[in-house]
PDB file of all heavy atoms in Angstrom:
ATOM      1  N   MET A 258      97.973 198.252 165.295  1.00  0.00           N
ATOM      2  CA  MET A 258      97.020 197.628 166.204  1.00  0.00           C
ATOM      3  C   MET A 258      96.432 196.363 165.578  1.00  0.00           C
ATOM      4  O   MET A 258      96.175 196.308 164.376  1.00  0.00           O
ATOM      5  CB  MET A 258      95.899 198.615 166.550  1.00  0.00           C
ATOM      6  CG  MET A 258      94.899 198.073 167.564  1.00  0.00           C
ATOM      7  SD  MET A 258      93.569 199.248 167.910  1.00  0.00           S
ATOM      8  CE  MET A 258      94.488 200.491 168.808  1.00  0.00           C
ATOM      9  N   ASP A 259      96.221 195.356 166.408  1.00  0.00           N
ATOM     10  CA  ASP A 259      95.545 194.151 165.954  1.00  0.00           C
ATOM     11  C   ASP A 259      94.626 193.647 167.063  1.00  0.00           C
ATOM     12  O   ASP A 259      94.496 194.286 168.113  1.00  0.00           O
ATOM     13  CB  ASP A 259      96.548 193.074 165.518  1.00  0.00           C
ATOM     14  CG  ASP A 259      97.534 192.686 166.620  1.00  0.00           C
ATOM     15  OD1 ASP A 259      97.149 192.710 167.814  1.00  0.00           O
ATOM     16  OD2 ASP A 259      98.695 192.364 166.297  1.00  0.00           O
ATOM     17  N   SER A 260      94.005 192.511 166.834  1.00  0.00           N
ATOM     18  CA  SER A 260      93.021 192.008 167.794  1.00  0.00           C
ATOM     19  C   SER A 260      93.650 191.628 169.130  1.00  0.00           C
ATOM     20  O   SER A 260      92.945 191.501 170.140  1.00  0.00           O
ATOM     21  CB  SER A 260      92.287 190.793 167.212  1.00  0.00           C
ATOM     22  OG  SER A 260      93.205 189.759 166.884  1.00  0.00           O
ATOM     23  N   ASP A 261      94.962 191.432 169.165  1.00  0.00           N
ATOM     24  CA  ASP A 261      95.640 191.054 170.411  1.00  0.00           C
ATOM     25  C   ASP A 261      96.150 192.253 171.215  1.00  0.00           C
ATOM     26  O   ASP A 261      96.692 192.076 172.311  1.00  0.00           O
ATOM     27  CB  ASP A 261      96.831 190.133 170.095  1.00  0.00           C
ATOM     28  CG  ASP A 261      96.399 188.798 169.512  1.00  0.00           C
ATOM     29  OD1 ASP A 261      95.337 188.300 169.926  1.00  0.00           O
ATOM     30  OD2 ASP A 261      97.107 188.278 168.630  1.00  0.00           O
ATOM     31  N   THR A 262      96.015 193.449 170.667  1.00  0.00           N
ATOM     32  CA  THR A 262      96.509 194.646 171.351  1.00  0.00           C
ATOM     33  C   THR A 262      95.797 194.843 172.686  1.00  0.00           C
ATOM     34  O   THR A 262      94.572 194.831 172.768  1.00  0.00           O
ATOM     35  CB  THR A 262      96.305 195.895 170.474  1.00  0.00           C
ATOM     36  OG1 THR A 262      97.007 195.726 169.235  1.00  0.00           O
ATOM     37  CG2 THR A 262      96.821 197.144 171.178  1.00  0.00           C
ATOM     38  N   LYS A 263      96.576 195.026 173.751  1.00  0.00           N
ATOM     39  CA  LYS A 263      96.017 195.286 175.074  1.00  0.00           C
ATOM     40  C   LYS A 263      95.690 196.775 175.214  1.00  0.00           C
ATOM     41  O   LYS A 263      96.447 197.634 174.767  1.00  0.00           O
ATOM     42  CB  LYS A 263      96.991 194.863 176.168  1.00  0.00           C
ATOM     43  CG  LYS A 263      97.244 193.355 176.234  1.00  0.00           C
ATOM     44  CD  LYS A 263      95.968 192.593 176.574  1.00  0.00           C
ATOM     45  CE  LYS A 263      96.230 191.109 176.727  1.00  0.00           C
ATOM     46  NZ  LYS A 263      94.968 190.359 177.016  1.00  0.00           N
ATOM     47  N   ILE A 264      94.567 197.061 175.859  1.00  0.00           N
ATOM     48  CA  ILE A 264      94.091 198.440 175.997  1.00  0.00           C
ATOM     49  C   ILE A 264      94.407 198.968 177.389  1.00  0.00           C
ATOM     50  O   ILE A 264      94.084 198.346 178.400  1.00  0.00           O
ATOM     51  CB  ILE A 264      92.574 198.513 175.746  1.00  0.00           C
ATOM     52  CG1 ILE A 264      92.244 198.052 174.324  1.00  0.00           C
ATOM     53  CG2 ILE A 264      92.060 199.939 175.980  1.00  0.00           C
ATOM     54  CD1 ILE A 264      90.766 197.834 174.092  1.00  0.00           C
ATOM     55  N   PHE A 265      95.033 200.138 177.410  1.00  0.00           N
ATOM     56  CA  PHE A 265      95.299 200.876 178.642  1.00  0.00           C
ATOM     57  C   PHE A 265      94.794 202.297 178.433  1.00  0.00           C
ATOM     58  O   PHE A 265      94.601 202.745 177.295  1.00  0.00           O
ATOM     59  CB  PHE A 265      96.791 200.896 178.958  1.00  0.00           C
ATOM     60  CG  PHE A 265      97.406 199.526 179.112  1.00  0.00           C
ATOM     61  CD1 PHE A 265      97.857 198.818 178.002  1.00  0.00           C
ATOM     62  CD2 PHE A 265      97.517 198.935 180.360  1.00  0.00           C
ATOM     63  CE1 PHE A 265      98.408 197.553 178.133  1.00  0.00           C
ATOM     64  CE2 PHE A 265      98.076 197.672 180.500  1.00  0.00           C
ATOM     65  CZ  PHE A 265      98.515 196.975 179.387  1.00  0.00           C
ATOM     66  N   GLY A 266      94.592 203.032 179.512  1.00  0.00           N
ATOM     67  CA  GLY A 266      94.130 204.402 179.330  1.00  0.00           C
ATOM     68  C   GLY A 266      94.019 205.139 180.644  1.00  0.00           C
ATOM     69  O   GLY A 266      94.142 204.557 181.721  1.00  0.00           O
ATOM     70  N   VAL A 267      93.777 206.438 180.519  1.00  0.00           N
ATOM     71  CA  VAL A 267      93.624 207.284 181.700  1.00  0.00           C
ATOM     72  C   VAL A 267      92.150 207.610 181.875  1.00  0.00           C
ATOM     73  O   VAL A 267      91.513 208.198 181.005  1.00  0.00           O
ATOM     74  CB  VAL A 267      94.476 208.565 181.606  1.00  0.00           C
ATOM     75  CG1 VAL A 267      94.260 209.324 180.306  1.00  0.00           C
ATOM     76  CG2 VAL A 267      94.234 209.470 182.815  1.00  0.00           C
ATOM     77  N   VAL A 268      91.598 207.194 183.002  1.00  0.00           N
ATOM     78  CA  VAL A 268      90.198 207.410 183.359  1.00  0.00           C
ATOM     79  C   VAL A 268      90.116 208.724 184.122  1.00  0.00           C
ATOM     80  O   VAL A 268      90.579 208.820 185.264  1.00  0.00           O
ATOM     81  CB  VAL A 268      89.680 206.244 184.227  1.00  0.00           C
ATOM     82  CG1 VAL A 268      88.267 206.524 184.715  1.00  0.00           C
ATOM     83  CG2 VAL A 268      89.736 204.937 183.451  1.00  0.00           C
ATOM     84  N   SER A 269      89.553 209.735 183.492  1.00  0.00           N
ATOM     85  CA  SER A 269      89.566 211.055 184.109  1.00  0.00           C
ATOM     86  C   SER A 269      88.447 211.915 183.535  1.00  0.00           C
ATOM     87  O   SER A 269      87.827 211.571 182.531  1.00  0.00           O
ATOM     88  CB  SER A 269      90.931 211.729 183.859  1.00  0.00           C
ATOM     89  OG  SER A 269      91.049 212.947 184.558  1.00  0.00           O
ATOM     90  N   ASN A 270      88.182 213.039 184.193  1.00  0.00           N
ATOM     91  CA  ASN A 270      87.227 214.025 183.692  1.00  0.00           C
ATOM     92  C   ASN A 270      87.521 215.375 184.352  1.00  0.00           C
ATOM     93  O   ASN A 270      87.219 215.557 185.524  1.00  0.00           O
ATOM     94  CB  ASN A 270      85.789 213.603 184.017  1.00  0.00           C
ATOM     95  CG  ASN A 270      84.760 214.497 183.345  1.00  0.00           C
ATOM     96  OD1 ASN A 270      85.105 215.472 182.685  1.00  0.00           O
ATOM     97  ND2 ASN A 270      83.493 214.163 183.523  1.00  0.00           N
TER      98      ASN A 270
END
Side-chain angles (χ1 to χ4, degrees):
M258 183 182 290
D259 58 33
S260 59
D261 295 325
T262 301
K263 294 297 184 182
I264 299 169
F265 301 85
V267 51
V268 175
S269 186
N270 188 356

